[in-house]
Amino acid sequence: FYIICSLFAMDIIRAYLPQLLVALALIQLSGAFIRPASTTGASNISTTNLSFFKQLKLKIVSAGVGDYDVAAAKAALDDFIASSRDPPSVKMLTFQTCPFCVEARRYLDELDVPYVDKVIDRNDPLRLELGKEFGRTSMPAVFVNGKFIGGMNDGSPGLKNLDVKDLPR
């Protein structure tokens, strides 16, 4: 019985070896970006409710950002979001050349909707704080009247899927 089970297990391992190696590499890679706790860095990311790949993406962004003033970055993100509430407005965090960001700008321009476009770089602490708060680091990050609606085509509901009458004029 044990010999049969061992042979069966070897067949399974042989058949799924490439997938097992990829999974092991991803697990090892995710651990490579974990840094010791720091009050100035991004090691305090709360990732308990995020998928493995979103956690991995946050760790990669964290590695790019490096040490930063967490409280100042959090306050800057909170201020940016709050400023879209009064007066009601559309605000976006974007990358300069991101195709979805360019499309979002073009879409709002075509609708004649005023907006504020804050261009950040890929290693900006705001991006990491956005990921910690909303579970996404992709751009654009669109806020309408203080509510995070997602990106251009994705999110809840996403800019493209938002009812046009809900956009401030």
Side-chain angles (χ1 to χ4, degrees):
F1 176 75
Y2 293 112
I3 294 172
I4 293 171
C5 288
S6 297
L7 291 173
F8 181 69
M10 290 303 292
D11 285 343
I12 290 175
I13 290 172
R14 230 179 274 119
Y16 292 100
L17 185 61
Q19 292 91 335
L20 289 170
L21 291 175
V22 168
L24 288 172
L26 285 173
I27 290 168
Q28 185 176 13
L29 179 66
S30 70
F33 294 101
I34 297 173
R35 295 186 310 211
S38 164
T39 57
T40 60
S43 59
N44 299 326
I45 297 172
S46 173
T47 58
T48 54
N49 295 324
L50 298 178
S51 72
F52 170 79
F53 290 104
K54 285 192 177 189
Q55 289 180 35
L56 180 60
K57 191 171 180 182
L58 271 178
K59 289 175 185 174
I60 291 169
V61 171
S62 173
V65 170
D67 288 337
Y68 68 100
D69 186 337
V70 175
K74 174 81 173 110
L77 180 63
D78 290 345
D79 290 346
F80 183 77
I81 295 168
S83 69
S84 71
R85 287 187 197 107
D86 189 28
S89 60
V90 176
K91 299 229 173 168
M92 300 187 299
L93 292 173
T94 64
F95 295 144
Q96 185 67 43
T97 58
C98 154
F100 295 105
C101 301
V102 171
E103 186 179 350
R105 291 181 199 108
R106 187 176 309 125
Y107 179 71
L108 290 170
D109 288 341
E110 287 172 3
L111 293 175
D112 201 29
V113 173
Y115 62 92
V116 173
D117 179 12
K118 182 173 179 67
V119 178
I120 63 172
D121 68 30
R122 297 190 186 289
N123 296 323
D124 193 305
L126 282 179
R127 181 179 181 207
L128 185 57
E129 290 302 314
L130 179 79
K132 290 180 349 186
E133 189 161 336
F134 297 101
R136 62 178 283 149
T137 57
S138 59
M139 296 293 142
V142 183
F143 298 87
V144 176
N145 302 335
K147 182 179 179 213
F148 180 64
I149 62 160
M152 177 60 194
N153 302 315
D154 62 335
S156 297
L159 184 58
K160 194 98 176 199
N161 299 319
L162 188 68
D163 192 341
V164 175
K165 70 177 191 292
D166 292 335
L167 293 170
R169 300 284 176 167

